[in-house]
Amino acid sequence: MVEKNKEYVLNVINEGYEGEGIAKVEGYPIFIEGALTGEKVKVKIVKTKKTYGYGKIVEIIETVEDRVEPKCVNFKQCGGCSIQHMSYKKQLSFKLGRVKDCLSKIGGLSEDIVKDPLGMENPYRYRNKVQLPIGKVNGEVVVGFYAARSHNIINIKNCLIQDEVADKVSSLTRKWINKNHIEPSTIDGVFNPKGILRHIMIRKGFKTGEVMVVLVATTKDVPFIEEFKELIVSSIEGIKSIMLNVNPKETNVILGDKNITLYGGDTIQDYIGGFRFYISPGSFFQINPMQTKVLYNKVLEFADLTGEETVFDVYCGTGSITLFLSKKAKIVYGVEVIDEAIYNAKENAKINNVDNVKFAVGKAEEVIPALIKKGIKADVIVVDPPRKGCDIKLLDAIGQTKPKTIVYVSCDPSTLARDLKILQGYGYKTIEAQPIDMFGQTSHIECVVKLKQMI
């Protein structure tokens, strides 16, 4: 019987889906954050459940060559880069194993269909967007990220996976708040109904160098807002847009419904593979521009278009994949539930002189059946859903549409495997799964999967 608070010397035999090490005591699994397969560690048991427990490393007795010293000083506190203690080679190996495990155990698929991950040249400073919560901890103004599994904000001054401009904007924001004694909406992890400032969002176009700063507040009447605007304009190279987003609700949702333009326009621009895109505060745009082109080219390869196909691009966001598909398709229909994203998608098509795309606003599980009823049949369907995967009604609609090819883009191997199993029930065979690392130093992995109709 494993006892809480007791110390054990254990051999780490595997990794969990979040990158934590797994050891066993008489068959009872212990999840150990920060431990690597092959290591011998002394562990203190911090939590026990009926079928598994959690341990905290007291001492690493024997280590492995896969372990590296994390570059970030916030690694042990921040809930973001949970596998930064792994070499990048080990990170890719871990992610490959995770994809194989999910697809085989959940989807019932052969591990042989999963190819080696396509990694980055440099797995640092790759993100073009960051959303930093603002709060007070022990009376000190903090701007940063949440600690793992909590709402406690860690004061981050230098994040190694964000663009450097984010560090500079967060520093300026912190100084402005302190100088003017503006109350944040979170104090010691608890919502402060009298508080004003919630988040600071920074977006950057890596090709254009254009920067957008979005201050999220509980009210449109933010004190000293002109000073904030002037500070950002005078200090940030490439600043093209400063927005105030109003979100008065006690919610975990970051952005509210109202945007006020304080400086410049309400969008910035960036390029992917020759296409130019407008990006607004709430629109989806891949966060790793260095790997996005790799991802989209793989989607095009799997779609295997000849120029005669009708394509549905589901969860199309601002239409970035839609435009890539348009290069080799007869017509592409993009579907997205967010109005603002579809507005951007239409503008993106216009500025790129693409005339063989059409966009529709609405839930995919409702729009796709409506297109089918109009007699519009897809030869190829591309889906790029959120982490929770596809709605079952959408999968049913795809199964009834019976496209020859489905290309599934996923950021979560577990929900991907679940959905692939459902699509197999509609007569589809999963041909190939290509992991692409968009999220270095984290446990997340993107996948592009090709399915073909077999019956």
Side-chain angles (χ1 to χ4, degrees):
M1 180 69 178
V2 174
E3 298 178 28
K4 185 178 177 181
N5 295 323
K6 186 175 179 180
E7 293 183 358
Y8 296 81
V9 174
L10 302 174
N11 293 310
V12 183
I13 58 174
N14 206 343
E15 294 121 7
Y17 283 177
E18 300 301 320
E20 67 275 55
I22 301 174
K24 289 188 177 181
V25 178
E26 297 178 357
Y28 180 84
I30 306 293
F31 290 85
I32 311 162
E33 187 173 341
L36 297 177
T37 300
E39 291 185 328
K40 179 182 284 189
V41 293
K42 181 185 284 187
V43 170
K44 180 179 180 180
I45 304 301
V46 294
K47 185 183 291 186
T48 57
K49 296 197 173 185
K50 186 175 181 180
T51 56
Y52 60 93
Y54 293 94
K56 182 179 181 180
I57 294 176
V58 176
E59 178 187 355
I60 300 174
I61 299 170
E62 294 178 8
T63 190
V64 291
E65 63 179 12
D66 293 323
R67 178 175 290 279
V68 297
E69 186 65 28
K71 294 183 178 182
C72 180
V73 297
N74 305 295
F75 170 69
K76 291 184 178 179
Q77 294 178 291
C78 180
C81 300
S82 61
I83 62 171
Q84 199 179 140
H85 61 297
M86 297 181 187
S87 68
Y88 190 55
K89 180 181 177 181
K90 173 59 180 175
Q91 289 183 28
L92 295 180
S93 173
F94 155 68
K95 294 179 184 188
L96 174 63
R98 184 183 173 201
V99 174
K100 285 184 173 181
D101 195 61
C102 286
L103 265 57
S104 61
K105 290 182 179 177
I106 301 172
L109 297 163
S110 169
E111 292 185 357
D112 294 339
I113 67 168
V114 185
K115 306 305 177 185
D116 288 340
L118 302 176
M120 297 180 241
E121 285 187 24
N122 177 21
Y124 293 98
R125 296 294 188 186
Y126 58 81
R127 288 187 63 102
N128 58 16
K129 173 187 172 184
V130 60
Q131 300 171 131
L132 301 168
I134 300 170
K136 266 188 180 179
V137 176
N138 297 325
E140 179 189 359
V141 172
V142 292
V143 181
F145 294 109
Y146 293 115
R149 296 174 292 279
S150 82
H151 283 95
N152 297 322
I153 303 171
I154 306 298
N155 203 24
I156 305 291
K157 297 182 180 180
N158 182 26
C159 176
L160 298 180
I161 65 170
Q162 312 294 341
D163 187 86
E164 286 91 339
V165 72
D167 295 337
K168 190 169 184 179
V169 171
S170 65
S171 175
L172 292 169
T173 302
R174 197 181 290 109
K175 290 176 181 177
W176 168 70
I177 296 169
N178 279 319
K179 177 187 174 185
N180 296 295
H181 307 288
I182 306 170
E183 279 292 292
S185 63
T186 299
I187 297 179
D188 295 323
V190 179
F191 182 72
N192 173 22
K194 295 181 179 180
I196 293 174
L197 303 179
R198 301 178 67 111
H199 281 78
I200 187 79
M201 175 198 286
I202 304 102
R203 305 191 77 152
K204 180 177 179 179
F206 272 37
K207 290 283 187 183
T208 62
E210 296 184 358
V211 177
M212 169 184 284
V213 172
V214 182
L215 186 66
V216 185
T218 58
T219 174
K220 65 180 179 61
D221 300 315
V222 178
F224 306 102
I225 193 66
E226 282 297 312
E227 181 183 323
F228 174 78
K229 181 185 76 173
E230 290 170 8
L231 181 64
I232 297 299
V233 170
S234 63
S235 306
I236 300 301
E237 184 179 351
I239 188 72
K240 293 292 181 182
S241 173
I242 302 176
M243 308 282 289
L244 174 64
N245 177 270
V246 183
N247 184 0
K249 299 177 183 177
E250 184 176 354
T251 173
N252 290 330
V253 177
I254 293 175
L255 294 179
D257 297 328
K258 186 174 183 180
N259 286 314
I260 300 168
T261 303
L262 303 177
Y263 171 83
D266 56 4
T267 62
I268 58 172
Q269 298 181 47
D270 204 5
Y271 288 85
I272 304 174
F275 286 109
R276 183 159 53 112
F277 295 96
Y278 284 122
I279 306 165
S280 59
S283 62
F284 174 79
F285 195 72
Q286 290 285 353
I287 57 93
N288 184 339
M290 292 176 283
Q291 288 291 85
T292 297
K293 188 177 178 181
V294 175
L295 174 72
Y296 289 1
N297 283 337
K298 185 56 66 173
V299 171
L300 261 182
E301 177 191 326
F302 281 1
D304 194 22
L305 302 173
T306 65
E308 298 301 319
E309 293 86 1
T310 296
V311 182
F312 291 172
D313 179 17
V314 186
Y315 306 102
C316 71
T318 57
S320 51
I321 291 181
T322 314
L323 297 191
F324 264 70
L325 293 165
S326 74
K327 294 190 293 186
K328 295 188 177 181
K330 182 178 180 181
I331 188 167
V332 186
Y333 291 86
V335 181
E336 172 60 56
V337 72
I338 301 172
D339 287 341
E340 184 181 19
I342 286 294
Y343 174 80
N344 289 156
K346 290 177 178 178
E347 289 297 305
N348 290 332
K350 187 184 298 182
I351 64 173
N352 286 287
N353 299 313
V354 176
D355 57 9
N356 62 332
V357 296
K358 293 184 178 181
F359 293 100
V361 178
K363 294 181 179 179
E365 58 269 23
E366 297 173 0
V367 174
I368 297 301
L371 290 173
I372 295 167
K373 283 184 180 179
K374 292 179 181 178
I376 301 170
K377 178 174 171 54
D379 302 296
V380 177
I381 292 183
V382 176
V383 293
D384 186 5
R387 195 169 301 281
K388 66 180 180 179
C390 293
D391 188 283
I392 186 63
K393 292 179 182 178
L394 172 62
L395 294 174
D396 289 342
I398 291 173
Q400 293 166 20
T401 307
K402 292 182 170 54
K404 295 176 182 178
T405 303
I406 300 170
V407 181
Y408 195 130
V409 181
S410 168
C411 60
D412 187 283
S414 298
T415 56
L416 167 66
R418 178 203 67 199
D419 290 352
L420 293 179
K421 188 172 185 178
I422 293 171
L423 290 169
Q424 287 173 140
Y426 282 105
Y428 286 89
K429 181 179 180 180
T430 305
I431 305 299
E432 185 176 333
Q434 177 62 69
I436 299 172
D437 189 27
M438 307 282 286
F439 317 105
Q441 315 308 324
T442 80
S443 61
H444 303 298
I445 183 71
E446 198 92 2
C447 279
V448 184
V449 180
K450 181 177 183 178
L451 301 96
K452 293 293 290 185
Q453 186 184 35
M454 303 306 291
I455 57 174

